[in-house]
């Protein structure tokens, strides 16, 4: 299957290229997409990293495959995990695969190693796991790993279980998330997926999105301090403030959980769909 590529995707060559001269497995980044007059994608413009030089080439989509990099795009975090590493990895993988997000083709798993002395995560072995079975069996033994799934959203689960405290990150393209900020249907699709993952992980909290300073500091509890940065929280009902800040709405879930969000989600099937105005989107951006 030929991959659908987007600007910003990380890729590597599946074969040698003669012009310019690039060996197989050279990695690069998609900088643009060439399209026909009708708008159909034809080829990808890719900047390749060759030692100290950067070389740009225009190649057909079947000449490359996607590769995993460290945290990119829009990220959500799940913390306060109640399950064992094996149980949470197995159940969360099922939560993705059961919603028809198959394992991405090519190198779709990256092992992570935690440097305890310096407190940072480093890239480890990369491998191809067509079914996700290897991750479920071996993953709980690792410090962490990133698992990539099919689809234009570029969903990835990043398990960080062997650091100072266990947590899981969920990545997607910013372009996909922006649609969730605007209208109800994509927002509801994301909410259902996050709720399924939250239950599968046995997480006490979920926040989406989180900024890079939290990803570096891993200070998840400070996400709950006002003014809030995330657009969505899944949290204990007792943590919902009595007086909601501007732009936020709250809804109750089962098991004394709640949703606190600025996203245009529906809390009831009879609610009308929401479409955010430019003013509301601007206010939300200023809040963040």
């Amino acid at each position: 299957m030929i991959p659908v590529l987007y600007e910003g995707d990380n890729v590597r060559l599946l074969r040698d290229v003669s012009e310019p001269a690039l060996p197989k497995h050279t990695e690069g980044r998609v900088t643009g997409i060439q399209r026909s007059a009708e708008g159909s994608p034809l080829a990808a413009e890719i900047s390749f990293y060759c030692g100290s030089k950067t070389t740009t080439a225009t190649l057909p989509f079947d000449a490359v495959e996607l590769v995993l990099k460290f945290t990119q795009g829009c990220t959500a975090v799940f913390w306060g995990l109640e399950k064992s590493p094996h149980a949470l990895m197995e159940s969360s993988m099922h939560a993705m695969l059961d919603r028809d997000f198959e394992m991405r083709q090519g190198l779709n798993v990256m092992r992570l190693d935690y440097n305890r002395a310096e407190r940072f995560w480093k890239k480890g072995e990369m491998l191809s796991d067509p079914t996700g079975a290897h991750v479920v069996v071996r993953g709980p033994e690792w410090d962490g790993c990133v698992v990539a799934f099919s689809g234009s959203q570029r969903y990835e689960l990043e398990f960080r279980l062997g650091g100072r405290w266990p947590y899981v990150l969920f990545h997607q393209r910013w372009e996909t998330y922006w649609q969730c900020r605007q209208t109800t249907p994509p927002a509801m699709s994301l909410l259902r997926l996050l709720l399924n993952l939250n239950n599968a992980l046995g997480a006490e909290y979920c926040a989406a999105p989180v900024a890079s300073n939290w990803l570096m500091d891993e200070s998840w509890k400070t996400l709950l301090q006002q003014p809030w940065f995330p657009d969505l929280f899944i949290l204990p009902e007792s943590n919902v403030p009595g007086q909601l800040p501007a732009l936020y709405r709250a809804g109750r879930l089962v098991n004394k959980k709640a949703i606190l969000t600025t996203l245009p989600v529906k809390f009831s099937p009879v609610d009308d769909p929401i479409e955010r105005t430019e003013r509301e989107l601007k206010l939300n951006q200023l809040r963040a």
Side-chain angles (χ1 to χ4, degrees):
M1 182 183 297
I2 298 175
V4 177
L5 298 180
Y6 298 93
E7 187 173 337
D9 280 343
N10 296 292
V11 297
R12 72 171 189 169
L13 288 173
L14 291 173
R15 53 180 180 267
D16 295 339
V17 173
S18 57
E19 184 61 38
L22 295 169
K24 181 180 179 179
H25 291 165
T26 302
E27 293 190 8
R29 186 177 181 86
V30 178
T31 57
I33 302 295
Q34 288 191 354
R35 299 181 181 275
S36 67
E38 294 76 24
S40 300
L42 299 176
E45 298 174 358
I46 306 171
S47 290
F48 291 97
Y49 320 122
C50 308
S52 60
K53 298 181 179 180
T54 300
T55 302
T56 301
T58 300
L59 299 171
F61 298 126
D62 62 1
V64 296
E65 69 177 357
L66 291 163
V67 297
L68 285 168
K69 291 290 185 180
F70 266 117
T71 305
Q72 297 186 4
C74 174
T75 298
V77 61
F78 300 87
W79 79 97
L81 308 182
E82 300 173 352
K83 296 185 178 181
S84 68
H86 183 273
L88 67 84
M89 290 194 74
E90 182 177 16
S91 57
S92 59
M93 289 291 291
H94 275 297
M96 295 297 296
L97 297 173
D98 290 347
R99 287 182 63 95
D100 295 328
F101 292 107
E102 300 175 350
M103 298 291 289
R104 186 189 299 172
Q105 289 188 329
L107 298 177
N108 52 25
V109 176
M110 179 171 66
R111 179 172 174 173
L112 300 178
D113 297 312
Y114 185 66
N115 186 318
R116 287 164 179 78
E118 301 295 332
R119 290 186 176 180
F120 75 90
W121 293 87
K122 57 183 180 179
K123 177 179 176 179
E125 174 190 12
M126 298 186 68
L127 55 99
S128 177
D129 184 5
T131 66
H134 185 78
V135 167
V136 171
V137 173
R138 297 298 305 277
E141 303 171 5
W142 303 336
D143 289 340
C145 64
V146 182
V147 183
F149 298 91
S150 63
S152 61
Q153 301 91 340
R154 296 293 187 265
Y155 287 147
E156 297 173 359
L157 280 178
E158 182 171 349
F159 299 91
R160 295 187 173 188
L161 307 179
R164 287 182 289 172
W165 39 71
Y167 60 93
V168 173
L169 302 174
F170 174 77
H171 310 297
Q172 64 177 310
R173 294 174 61 234
W174 270 112
E175 292 84 353
T176 303
Y177 182 72
W178 181 247
Q179 296 174 2
C180 299
R181 281 178 165 165
Q182 293 177 299
T183 59
T184 294
M188 291 301 297
S189 180
L190 176 63
L191 176 61
R192 284 190 289 267
L193 182 54
L194 292 178
L195 286 171
N196 287 346
L197 285 170
N198 195 77
N199 292 333
L201 291 165
E204 188 174 9
Y205 297 95
C206 169
V210 295
S212 56
N213 53 318
W214 278 284
L215 295 175
M216 293 180 64
D217 297 340
E218 302 179 347
S219 54
W220 311 120
K221 290 184 179 180
T222 63
L223 287 166
L224 302 171
Q225 298 174 2
Q226 296 190 46
W228 289 311
F229 179 86
D231 297 326
L232 171 71
F233 292 95
I234 302 171
L235 72 179
E237 190 176 343
S238 58
N239 285 110
V240 177
Q243 184 174 357
L244 298 181
L247 303 178
Y248 281 92
R249 298 176 300 127
R252 293 183 179 181
L253 299 171
V254 297
N255 299 325
K256 297 183 178 180
K257 287 290 192 73
I259 299 170
L260 181 64
T261 186
T262 66
L263 295 180
V265 298
K266 295 167 55 174
F267 292 142
S268 167
V270 298
D271 291 344
D272 293 329
I274 302 170
E275 185 167 350
R276 292 294 186 205
T277 65
E278 288 298 324
R279 180 179 182 275
E280 289 172 324
L281 291 171
K282 187 64 175 180
L283 288 173
N284 203 51
Q285 182 179 358
L286 290 170
R287 170 192 60 81

